[in-house]
């Protein structure tokens, strides 16, 4: 069994990005600039955004954090989005989700200029992804494809079972794995909360992508010998023996599943770090106008 070390791979890719930034500087061009909008006080969102900003600094990007109170109006958020769309210094930006209930997330996502949508959530980018056209890939699936590629995991002709159909992970993952591409060409089964006998599908899988948000949902008897298991879940469970009183576990029962796998990602230290790094890669693409010429 090989542990896919997302933390180490992410550090390697960040070094590669930092080297690119040095080249950009040396040639006198503008360094990549990512802006992040954080609305309200959601602690998890604050941690995610802080990580993104810190990662920008680490690789030499410019970053701007725009914090707004939870009672900001939808119109004010839209105004901010329009401002960022028009700001030539900003290559890409994200609006951290979830937004407070009174703000329509769909309206905000639609207002983001697809050329600056480095989260890859705008329907234009999602459509381009589905058609195999240049686009910003959503960060988590992008990070997973990068892990498969860098660990030399063959996907062509394999049966991939994706568990969970969210717009940000499961659905794009199923599309990307099925496309005719270097990390695609899989036969994909997309399973979800209405799937009958999900374990039967999982047991047939050469590759499992678990993205449901249920702690240790994928058990040892749901995985065949030699499978590749990618665990996207990040779940807090009580752990009185830990200093913080909780620990993070994935959607996969790691101890039971790992011995059967050819490759598996841990939680933490697997998919999570790769997600932030993928956002940096998208921002670099935006800076170079690689997607929309
Ligand atoms: P979500 O909560 O939006 O959707 C969950 C999906 O799981 C739904 O499609 C639902 O149909 C499916 N589901 C729920 N219960 C099920 C069941 N019993 N059987 C089968 N399917 C079921 O999910 P999300 O936003 O994709 O997040 C999933 C998990 O991944 C969460 O733990 C989240 O924290 C984590 N996550 C991690 C990263 C990362 O960078 N590592 C990024 C995004 C999400």
């Amino acid at each position: 069994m090989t542990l896919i070390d997302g933390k180490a791979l992410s550090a390697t890719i960040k070094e590669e990005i930092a080297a690119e930034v040095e080249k950009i500087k040396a040639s006198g061009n503008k360094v990549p600039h990512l802006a992040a909008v954080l609305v309200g006080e959601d602690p998890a969102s604050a941690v995610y955004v802080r990580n993104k900003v810190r990662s920008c600094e680490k690789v030499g990007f410019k970053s701007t954090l725009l914090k707004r109170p939870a009672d900001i109006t939808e119109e004010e958020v839209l105004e901010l989005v329009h401002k960022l769309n028009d700001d030539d210094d900003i290559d890409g930006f994200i609006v951290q989700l979830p937004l407070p209930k009174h703000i329509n997330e769909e309206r905000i996502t639609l207002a983001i200029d697809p050329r600056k949508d480095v989260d890859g959530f705008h329907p234009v980018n999602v459509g381009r992804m589905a058609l195999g056209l240049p686009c910003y890939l959503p960060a988590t699936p992008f990070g997973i494809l990068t892990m498969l590629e860098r660990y030399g995991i063959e996907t062509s002709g394999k049966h991939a079972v994706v568990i969970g159909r969210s717009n940000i992970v499961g659905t794009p993952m199923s599309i990307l794995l099925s496309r005719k591409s270097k990390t695609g060409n899989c036969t994909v089964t997309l399973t979800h909360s209405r799937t009958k006998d999900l374990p039967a599908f999982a047991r047939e899988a050469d590759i499992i992508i678990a993205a449901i948000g249920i702690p240790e949902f994928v058990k040892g008897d749901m995985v065949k010998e030699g499978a590749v298991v990618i665990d996207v879940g990040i779940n807090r469970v009580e752990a009185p023996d830990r200093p913080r009183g909780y620990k993070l576990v994935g959607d996969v029962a790691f101890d039971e599943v790992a011995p059967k796998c050819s490759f598996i990602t841990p939680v933490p230290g697997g998919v999570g770090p790769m997600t932030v790094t993928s956002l940096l890669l998208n921002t670099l693409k935006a800076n170079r106008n690689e997607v929309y010429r």
Side-chain angles (χ1 to χ4, degrees):
M1 183 273 290
T2 302
L3 196 68
I4 301 180
D5 189 341
K7 203 172 162 192
L9 180 55
S10 162
T12 304
I13 296 174
K14 278 186 188 154
E15 278 171 24
E16 293 167 9
I17 298 172
E20 288 303 313
V21 173
E22 284 310 312
K23 281 191 211 158
I24 292 169
K25 278 188 190 158
S27 59
N29 288 325
K30 190 183 89 59
V31 299
H33 184 178
L34 175 76
V37 177
L38 175 63
V39 179
E41 308 294 331
D42 179 56
S45 293
V47 171
Y48 292 147
V49 169
R50 201 168 53 229
N51 268 342
K52 291 169 188 175
V53 169
R54 268 197 207 139
S55 296
C56 281
E57 286 160 8
K58 217 168 163 188
V59 297
F61 285 7
K62 204 169 149 187
S63 66
T64 300
L65 173 58
L66 298 147
K67 275 170 98 170
R68 295 292 183 270
D71 61 358
I72 188 173
T73 66
E74 188 173 296
E75 292 310 317
E76 285 168 327
V77 179
L78 281 173
E79 226 169 83
L80 186 56
V81 166
H82 292 311
K83 235 186 196 167
L84 294 168
N85 283 342
D86 294 339
D87 186 337
D88 287 339
D89 194 61
I90 287 169
D91 296 298
F93 66 96
I94 60 158
V95 178
Q96 184 67 42
L97 303 179
L99 290 168
K101 293 258 178 302
H102 66 281
I103 300 174
N104 181 341
E105 287 183 356
E106 199 178 293
R107 210 171 155 216
I108 304 301
T109 303
L110 281 170
I112 297 174
D113 183 339
R115 286 168 301 183
K116 293 194 173 190
D117 169 42
V118 286
D119 256 341
F121 293 166
H122 192 285
V124 167
N125 279 312
V126 179
R128 291 172 76 115
M129 174 192 68
L131 296 174
L133 297 170
C135 64
Y136 297 114
L137 293 180
T140 304
F142 185 12
I144 293 170
L145 294 185
T146 307
M147 290 197 292
L148 295 173
E149 188 182 355
R150 298 273 185 131
Y151 273 78
I153 296 168
E154 181 61 75
T155 55
S156 185
K158 305 289 182 192
H159 181 202
V161 172
V162 178
I163 311 178
R165 59 179 161 187
S166 72
N167 288 344
I168 61 165
V169 189
T171 293
M173 208 57 240
S174 69
I175 294 170
L176 290 163
L177 286 170
S178 66
R179 288 213 56 85
K180 190 172 182 179
S181 65
K182 204 162 42 176
T183 45
N185 291 318
C186 286
T187 303
V188 178
T189 303
L190 177 57
T191 64
H192 46 76
S193 52
R194 304 289 177 93
T195 299
K196 287 198 178 120
D197 199 2
L198 194 153
F201 288 106
R203 275 193 288 274
E204 293 295 316
D206 301 307
I207 300 170
I208 293 178
I209 314 283
I212 47 177
I214 300 178
E216 304 187 329
F217 176 87
V218 177
K219 308 283 186 218
D221 62 3
M222 287 167 64
V223 177
K224 79 171 176 191
E225 286 292 336
V228 175
V229 175
I230 307 292
D231 189 354
V232 183
I234 303 177
N235 308 293
R236 263 190 196 197
V237 295
E238 275 182 36
D241 52 322
R242 298 286 177 97
R244 289 186 181 157
Y246 69 86
K247 63 175 180 172
L248 296 180
V249 300
D251 289 349
V252 175
F254 186 89
D255 293 343
E256 288 176 25
V257 172
K260 299 180 85 173
C261 295
S262 55
F263 292 90
I264 187 167
T265 59
V267 176
V271 175
M274 291 299 295
T275 296
V276 180
T277 302
S278 301
L279 179 67
L280 299 179
L281 286 171
N282 277 345
T283 307
L284 188 61
K285 280 189 187 174
N287 173 266
R288 291 169 164 169
N289 293 320
E290 271 177 23
V291 175
Y292 294 90
R293 290 181 184 272

